[in-house]
Amino acid sequence: MLWSFDELKGYDQRAYLTLNRVATPRLSWFLSNEYSQLPTTDLLQLYGVPFRRVGVTSNRFGAGMQARLTKFTDLNLRYDNEWSSFDQVDE
């Protein structure tokens, strides 16, 4: 008997980027991006998405700033945006 596991083959592709910039001694800003292509929905961190062997492309972008307002007060701001797209599967 011959077994074929072609549908189980798959690999992850991921890329990360982080950029930090100190504008002044009291002000800095940052950018971050995380891109991934996954063969399944298993590692995707979205609630309510069931496990399927369908390809997923995901991108997460973040930006923000950190400011020293006073000797004892800091201000931290961050914005995140995430999108995901799923490959079409004909059933």
Side-chain angles (χ1 to χ4, degrees), residues 19-86:
L19 175 66
N20 294 310
R21 172 76 176 163
V22 178
T24 69
R26 294 177 155 278
L27 179 67
S28 63
W29 55 267
F30 59 90
L31 299 171
S32 62
N33 195 53
E34 177 182 338
Y35 175 81
S36 62
Q37 285 184 327
L38 306 170
T40 69
T41 59
D42 182 32
L43 298 177
L44 189 64
Q45 296 178 357
L46 291 176
Y47 297 106
V49 176
F51 174 78
R52 303 257 335 247
R53 288 210 58 86
V54 60
V56 179
T57 301
S58 178
N59 192 61
R60 180 180 300 143
F61 173 78
M65 63 172 277
Q66 300 170 336
R68 170 64 50 105
L69 300 178
T70 67
K71 183 178 179 180
F72 300 105
T73 307
D74 291 339
L75 174 66
N76 296 314
L77 300 172
R78 182 176 177 94
Y79 171 78
D80 287 310
N81 183 3
E82 181 174 357
W83 63 264
S84 299
S85 65
F86 302 91

